[in-house]
Amino acid sequence: MDFTLKIWRQANAKAKGKFVTYEVKNISSDCSFLEMLDILNEQLIDKIEKPVCFDHDCREGICGMCSLYINGQPHGPDAQTTTCQLHMRKFKDGDTIVIEPWRSKAFPIIKDLVVDRSAFDKIIQAGGYISLNAGSAQDANAIPIRKELADKAMDAAACIGCGACVATCKNGSAMLFVAAKVSQFALLPQGKVEAKERVKAMVAKMDELGFGNCSNTGACEAECPKGISISNIARLNREYFCAKMS
Amino acid sequence: MTVLNSKIPQGPLQEKWKNFKASQKLVNPSNKRKLDVIVVGTGLAGASAASSLGEMGFNVKVFCYQDSPRRAHSIAAQGGINAAKNYQNDGDSIYRLYYDTIKGGDYRAREANVYRLAEVSNNIIDQCVAQGVPFAREYGGYLDNRSFGGAQVSRTFYARGQTGQQLLLGAYGSLSRQIKQGTVTLYSRCTMMDLVIIDGKARGIITRDLVTGEIQRHFAHAVVLATGGYGNVYYLSTNAMGSNSSAAWQAYKKGACFGNPAYVQIHPTCIPVHGDYQSKLTLMSESLRNDGRIWVPKKKEDSEKLQKGLIKASDIAEEDRDYYLERRYPAFGNLVPRDVASRAAKERCDAGFGVNGTGLAVFLDFKEAIGRLGQHKIEERYGNLFQMYEKIVDTNPYKQPMMIYPAIHYTMGGIWVDYELMTTIPGLFAIGEANFSDHGANRLGASALMQGLADGYFVLPYTIQNYLADEIRTPRLSTDMPEFVEAEKNVNDRINHLMGINGKHSVDHFHKELGKIMWEHVGMGRTEEGLKKGIELIKELRGEFWKDLRVAGDRNEFNPELEKADRVADFLELGELIAKDALQRKESCGGHFREEYQTPEGEALRDDKDYMYVSAWAFKGQDQEPELNKEPLVYESTEVKVRNYK
């Protein structure tokens, strides 16, 4: 398969960026999207040009490192799929593919397609955990938890922190990410004691870091590679409202 | 010779860890504030260690090459984590977990370390549940378990197929809490380039900021390496692309012995290789072997037709299928340990019964389980794995059996450590996959997560104090000391050298070549002749690398090519050490299979008389032969038997 790629190139955070067009040929349809970019980079290195920088690591769809806005969609056209698990068979021979970095004020560009997502870590550091010292826990079966609650907590906990929800949201909101973490703990007995402080601190931090508000367009859920449900945002709102009221 | 003092405490096996804790030195809270510890790596071992040390009151600096600790490759572990809880009332105990692990490791691990691992396993589950890890539960609300390769009890705790992710996010939460409290400082997109040694003790590291290229010096009273394994020497592996052994390799070059490098685990259930552009291999959790049955056709002509795509798996009648694991190992069946399952797959494929277009794959079939349990139950247990398989291979595994083949997965070898997890360099510790200590020649399923968290939460926080208690009078040393200046200069020289070669080939070109040599000559089946040839080829390739490498971009910018070049330079040396270690070990054990040493039935043939030792290699200078040191393995409490899964 042959493709024309229009890729956003930007030397660093301060430089001005632009689209540059490249051609790649004889790509196997079994090739992953990132392997296709590897092939492009080999070509560029052969021509003594700078390869295109993009974030990636596990290439198994779980570390959340890969990103890329592909033809206007985070992680490309395939539903519930990270970029590293997207394969070229999802495109047509001869296609032109536009590749951009995540677009959000809270995720500044580092270089080319690489952005800085440390704002997510700062939100977690504000309180997205259970305050527990190592070695002091009681027996794991001491508190039974209903299976359906444990399953729902797991549904929320499956978030990989890739940032697609922020990138696709017209408001650049981090609500789905925050909601997933808040929901995981809200559904389990272990997280209850500090639930109010947690939700208030995380939402305050999210606002402080320049993420926008949720206006219920649902793009985050539609583009989430792990299918995290927008109903978590409803739970977040409820938790936040109750915390504020009490 | 290097003196290897394993510091195993006296007393009966069951009492060693208790006795150690009762008599070790402690650091009082006001002194903890005066002591700095560096932790390199933020996976299960690194994040749990850094957060525990921070909680205790030490000043911790933690480094990760990714943008966030949440990306560490521990996150990709799918199947589960073992503990001897015996919640299922199926006869499990600490001793049994210990015994399975030491037997699974082919009696090439340290008794005392493995027993301690089994002992603290139960605390790990308690800790993680209290952290909010959403483990799978039964309808009664209690924790669910499943079974894994190498065990006949159900002791594996799991969170769907994302156990590693949930455990890592738990540890990441603990770490984040300490970062907020200011006890831990996080350096992300930052890689360790060298270790600084002052008066014979590890006193700091040199790092490179991966965004700006800036070289920095960091002092600490002790340094902990939690940098994972070295499987990426083979290029194609199940490791994340960035997983590397550079920090460990720099420590080796500064005097830390490297233990058992030849012990590389080949995981039996990976998605087979399909093209030469491929960048990595994807593992399918071993838990699939609970319900999946592995087979190839009985008749070679059926395999040939499958290879040509003329027929499908479903066209082959039940009586024409060879469930070779069930046939050869009736007691353990599809749940034999990984090395046994991997070799059995290779044996069938080498004999011409493979089923992929390449002839290098076997079937993992869920038809019987779907019939017995219903598709719904299989979806619930393994849904995300099935989905992942379909994405990559483009066939529906609910309808057609999966195809799998072994791939490089986990490295049991690593930096040599004593019982306190300290290396041969005082003040330098190694934990998790980065050390060699707990797995022997082979690692059973669901035991890597266990070791990472055991070391980080429950072992290192105690043992490191035995060292740090004597350091309370050491002031914070200036990073202007000559040792720091020199280490930084060496790092700069190395980077300039790599950037200045200006040859013809990319980094990936050399890495792929190395991978081919390693898989061919230092892979699943090793021979004296092949290993010698492999060593020659690696040397040649290393020569070409330093003559003909081209690193694109500049050094003072975000430059992944430079990062890779630095790592591949180290892999090219480590690959040779793996081969050397494999060459000297004239026996077969666990993941190390020397074809000359096998039973008439094709099983691994150990030589306990001559090889019951840990090989600990010491660096003797660039282009010098490394020195082989041997730590004899003494089994006081365990009868050493032939591993038998029949």
Side-chain angles (χ1 to χ4, degrees):
Chain A
M1 301 173 90
D2 300 345
F3 300 101
T4 302
L5 308 174
K6 292 192 170 182
I7 302 180
W8 185 258
R9 301 299 308 256
Q10 183 172 337
N12 54 55
K14 288 179 191 126
K16 203 161 170 273
K18 62 168 190 218
F19 281 103
V20 180
T21 305
Y22 303 95
E23 306 284 334
V24 284
K25 295 193 189 311
N26 291 323
I27 302 289
S28 156
S29 60
D30 286 336
C31 204
S32 78
F33 198 84
L34 298 183
E35 284 163 352
M36 185 274 296
L37 288 179
D38 291 340
I39 292 169
L40 169 71
N41 277 345
E42 285 292 294
Q43 283 176 23
L44 293 176
I45 293 167
D46 283 347
K47 288 194 279 184
I48 321 196
E49 286 178 39
K50 283 192 183 182
V52 178
C53 291
F54 57 92
D55 263 333
H56 65 100
D57 202 10
C58 78
R59 298 203 177 188
E60 290 182 27
I62 191 73
C63 76
M65 189 76 170
C66 61
S67 50
L68 303 188
Y69 228 72
I70 300 163
N71 288 340
Q73 278 187 291
H75 296 296
D78 210 2
Q80 299 203 11
T81 305
T82 55
T83 300
C84 66
Q85 295 287 289
L86 175 66
H87 287 77
M88 297 317 291
R89 64 177 87 96
K90 301 289 172 184
F91 296 87
K92 285 203 286 293
D93 192 18
D95 270 359
T96 296
I97 307 173
V98 181
I99 310 170
E100 298 162 80
W102 275 177
R103 297 182 291 192
S104 167
K105 193 176 98 186
F107 292 161
I109 290 180
I110 291 175
K111 186 178 181 180
D112 293 340
L113 304 169
V114 177
V115 300
D116 178 359
R117 283 169 283 189
S118 56
F120 270 9
D121 292 314
K122 294 191 181 101
I123 294 174
I124 298 293
Q125 285 158 19
Y129 45 75
I130 289 172
S131 300
L132 165 85
N133 281 351
S136 58
Q138 62 180 339
D139 184 86
N141 255 351
I143 308 173
I145 299 173
R146 274 171 58 195
K147 176 173 162 44
E148 77 190 47
L149 288 182
D151 285 350
K152 270 191 189 163
M154 181 61 221
D155 289 342
C159 167
I160 56 172
C162 66
C165 49
V166 175
T168 197
C169 176
K170 63 183 170 135
N171 305 325
S173 169
M175 285 284 268
L176 193 65
F177 172 77
V178 175
K181 201 73 206 173
V182 166
S183 290
Q184 177 193 343
F185 293 140
L187 288 160
L188 299 172
Q190 286 83 5
K192 285 281 190 284
V193 174
E194 51 188 341
K196 287 175 189 163
E197 291 77 13
R198 175 183 308 115
V199 69
K200 283 193 280 189
M202 289 179 78
V203 169
K205 186 53 102 180
M206 176 179 85
D207 291 342
E208 180 197 317
L209 291 168
F211 291 101
N213 286 315
C214 173
S215 51
N216 280 316
T217 54
C220 53
E221 182 185 77
E223 297 295 350
C224 174
K226 296 294 154 183
I228 307 288
S229 164
I230 200 167
S231 66
N232 289 301
I233 296 183
R235 191 177 291 107
L236 167 67
N237 285 333
R238 206 157 52 235
E239 290 281 315
Y240 185 70
F241 184 73
C242 293
K244 278 287 197 189
M245 287 298 114
S246 54
Chain B
M1 293 292 272
T2 311
V3 181
L4 297 173
N5 178 5
S6 58
K7 297 194 206 149
I8 296 167
Q10 295 299 309
L13 190 59
Q14 287 81 349
E15 304 294 321
K16 285 181 194 292
W17 180 229
K18 228 177 282 167
N19 292 345
F20 176 88
K21 285 195 287 185
S23 58
Q24 67 159 125
K25 294 175 198 160
L26 294 172
V27 181
N28 91 42
S30 65
N31 284 330
K32 281 181 185 145
R33 289 195 287 275
K34 296 182 200 154
L35 293 169
D36 299 349
V37 182
I38 281 172
V39 178
V40 186
T42 52
L44 283 179
S48 56
S51 63
S52 300
L53 293 168
E55 262 166 37
M56 293 165 88
F58 295 102
N59 295 296
V60 182
K61 284 182 175 183
V62 66
F63 295 83
C64 71
Y65 75 78
Q66 295 98 341
D67 68 332
S68 163
R70 66 178 299 140
R71 317 268 188 231
H73 194 53
S74 307
I75 205 152
Q78 296 165 354
I81 178 166
N82 283 339
K85 284 284 197 184
N86 196 29
Y87 284 156
Q88 305 292 350
N89 194 28
D90 54 3
D92 205 4
S93 64
I94 288 170
Y95 186 84
R96 199 177 274 279
L97 173 54
Y98 154 78
Y99 180 74
D100 285 346
T101 309
I102 206 122
K103 173 190 170 196
D106 235 335
Y107 305 94
R108 293 291 177 269
R110 232 189 244 143
E111 236 183 7
N113 287 58
V114 179
Y115 194 86
R116 176 175 66 188
L117 176 69
E119 220 176 332
V120 304
S121 67
N122 291 339
N123 301 16
I124 298 172
I125 303 303
D126 300 341
Q127 171 77 12
C128 294
V129 166
Q131 266 170 0
V133 170
F135 281 120
R137 295 202 173 244
E138 294 172 340
Y139 282 101
Y142 295 102
L143 291 155
D144 194 11
N145 292 109
R146 59 187 175 196
S147 49
F148 254 56
Q152 287 171 314
V153 291
S154 259
R155 62 161 72 105
T156 306
F157 294 80
Y158 66 102
R160 291 204 189 125
Q162 289 128 284
T163 315
Q165 178 195 30
Q166 293 312 313
L167 295 175
L168 181 68
L169 292 180
Y172 162 75
S174 294
L175 183 64
S176 299
R177 173 173 168 241
Q178 295 307 316
I179 293 169
K180 183 189 185 186
Q181 293 182 358
T183 60
V184 176
T185 310
L186 169 69
Y187 295 81
S188 54
R189 291 202 194 261
C190 194
T191 194
M192 171 177 156
M193 301 291 290
D194 205 357
L195 177 72
V196 179
I197 294 183
I198 298 175
D199 294 333
K201 291 178 176 175
R203 289 298 189 200
I205 62 172
I206 307 293
T207 61
R208 179 168 181 271
D209 180 315
L210 297 177
V211 177
T212 63
E214 191 194 345
I215 307 295
Q216 292 164 335
R217 308 172 193 174
H218 297 274
F219 163 81
H221 292 88
V223 176
V224 181
L225 298 183
T227 50
Y230 50 87
N232 272 347
V233 170
Y234 289 77
Y235 187 70
L236 283 181
S237 82
T238 64
N239 289 355
M241 302 293 287
S243 294
N244 67 88
S245 50
S246 283
W249 196 245
Q250 295 315 319
Y252 164 73
K253 287 182 146 183
K254 286 283 169 90
C257 284
F258 209 103
N260 295 332
Y263 292 165
V264 174
Q265 181 183 81
I266 319 269
H267 195 290
T269 56
C270 300
I271 298 178
V273 178
H274 51 79
D276 58 5
Y277 50 82
Q278 204 166 343
S279 58
K280 75 156 285 167
L281 299 174
T282 301
L283 178 140
M284 306 294 295
S285 165
E286 180 175 31
S287 63
L288 293 169
R289 290 199 275 145
N290 269 311
D291 288 309
R293 298 177 69 195
I294 294 175
W295 64 276
V296 291
K298 272 185 190 159
K299 297 183 208 153
K300 219 179 246 180
E301 53 269 31
D302 283 344
S303 289
E304 281 159 10
K305 281 184 203 155
L306 281 165
Q307 288 166 16
K308 290 183 190 137
L310 302 173
I311 54 170
K312 286 187 179 148
S314 47
D315 297 332
I316 297 170
E318 195 57 35
E319 62 270 20
D320 292 330
R321 300 177 179 195
D322 177 15
Y323 295 92
Y324 57 88
L325 288 177
E326 296 167 34
R327 166 170 61 78
R328 283 175 64 176
Y329 309 99
F332 280 72
N334 293 297
L335 286 172
V336 290
R338 293 173 177 182
D339 61 317
V340 179
S342 296
R343 272 199 302 281
K346 181 178 191 288
E347 189 278 326
R348 284 292 79 193
C349 292
D350 288 351
F353 293 92
V355 297
N356 199 5
T358 56
L360 294 176
V362 299
F363 285 130
L364 176 62
D365 197 338
F366 289 85
K367 195 175 127 218
E368 188 266 338
I370 291 172
R372 176 165 43 90
L373 302 163
Q375 181 162 329
H376 171 74
K377 193 80 196 163
I378 296 298
E379 267 175 35
E380 193 178 281
R381 283 186 189 166
Y382 315 107
N384 68 316
L385 301 171
F386 276 56
Q387 199 189 11
M388 188 169 80
Y389 181 87
E390 186 167 0
K391 286 228 158 83
I392 295 172
V393 184
D394 206 22
T395 54
N396 180 346
Y398 293 105
K399 301 214 167 91
Q400 287 292 328
M402 291 183 182
M403 286 191 291
I404 53 165
Y405 198 67
I408 297 289
H409 181 48
Y410 187 94
T411 50
M412 284 77 66
I415 305 172
W416 186 91
V417 290
D418 60 24
Y419 188 74
E420 297 177 6
L421 306 183
M422 190 156 86
T423 68
T424 42
I425 300 173
L428 180 70
F429 295 78
I431 59 176
E433 192 181 353
N435 76 26
F436 87 100
S437 68
D438 290 11
H439 298 305
N442 185 47
R443 184 182 74 76
L444 295 182
S447 61
L449 302 185
M450 179 169 66
Q451 194 209 346
L453 290 179
D455 285 0
Y457 281 134
F458 300 113
V459 179
L460 181 87
Y462 291 100
T463 59
I464 198 171
Q465 291 189 71
N466 224 16
Y467 174 81
L468 288 174
D470 293 331
E471 293 293 323
I472 53 175
R473 287 194 182 80
T474 308
R476 293 198 166 100
L477 302 175
S478 160
T479 53
D480 292 331
M481 290 179 73
E483 289 86 350
F484 275 98
V485 175
E486 200 201 325
E488 182 180 324
K489 183 179 175 298
N490 290 341
V491 167
N492 277 318
D493 289 351
R494 175 178 162 106
I495 292 173
N496 290 338
H497 190 173
L498 285 168
M499 298 296 305
I501 302 170
N502 270 326
K504 282 199 298 291
H505 295 298
S506 70
V507 185
D508 282 354
H509 163 84
F510 290 102
H511 198 175
K512 283 181 188 175
E513 286 303 308
L514 174 65
K516 280 183 206 153
I517 298 170
M518 294 300 293
W519 183 250
E520 170 88 21
H521 299 286
V522 199
M524 256 196 287
R526 301 157 174 189
T527 62
E528 178 164 341
E529 195 192 359
L531 289 165
K532 285 181 174 160
K533 173 93 180 147
I535 291 170
E536 283 313 304
L537 290 171
I538 296 167
K539 278 189 178 146
E540 248 170 64
L541 186 67
R542 194 163 60 228
E544 284 169 35
F545 175 88
W546 288 103
K547 266 207 316 273
D548 223 357
L549 173 73
R550 175 186 296 160
V551 184
D554 300 318
R555 61 167 292 176
N556 293 318
E557 64 173 353
F558 184 77
N559 187 347
E561 286 298 306
L562 175 57
E563 285 172 45
K564 281 194 285 186
D566 184 53
R567 290 162 191 172
V568 173
D570 292 333
F571 286 147
L572 281 162
E573 295 176 2
L574 176 53
E576 188 182 335
L577 190 70
I578 297 173
K580 280 203 168 119
D581 190 41
L583 186 60
Q584 64 85 27
R585 190 169 283 278
K586 294 181 176 157
E587 63 163 350
S588 292
C589 57
H592 169 68
F593 192 72
R594 280 284 298 266
E595 289 176 5
E596 304 96 320
Y597 308 97
Q598 51 180 305
T599 64
E601 299 85 49
E603 304 293 341
L605 187 62
R606 276 197 334 251
D607 178 352
D608 291 339
K609 190 166 75 60
D610 296 315
Y611 291 94
M612 202 181 273
Y613 59 72
V614 175
S615 53
W617 296 86
F619 182 70
K620 291 278 138 186
Q622 204 67 40
D623 301 320
Q624 302 289 310
E625 280 299 304
E627 174 187 85
L628 174 61
N629 300 285
K630 296 174 182 176
E631 179 202 337
L633 290 165
V634 183
Y635 290 94
E636 294 170 357
S637 316
T638 320
E639 191 196 341
V640 176
K641 292 184 190 164
V642 174
R643 262 167 95 208
N644 180 356
Y645 294 93
K646 290 179 178 166

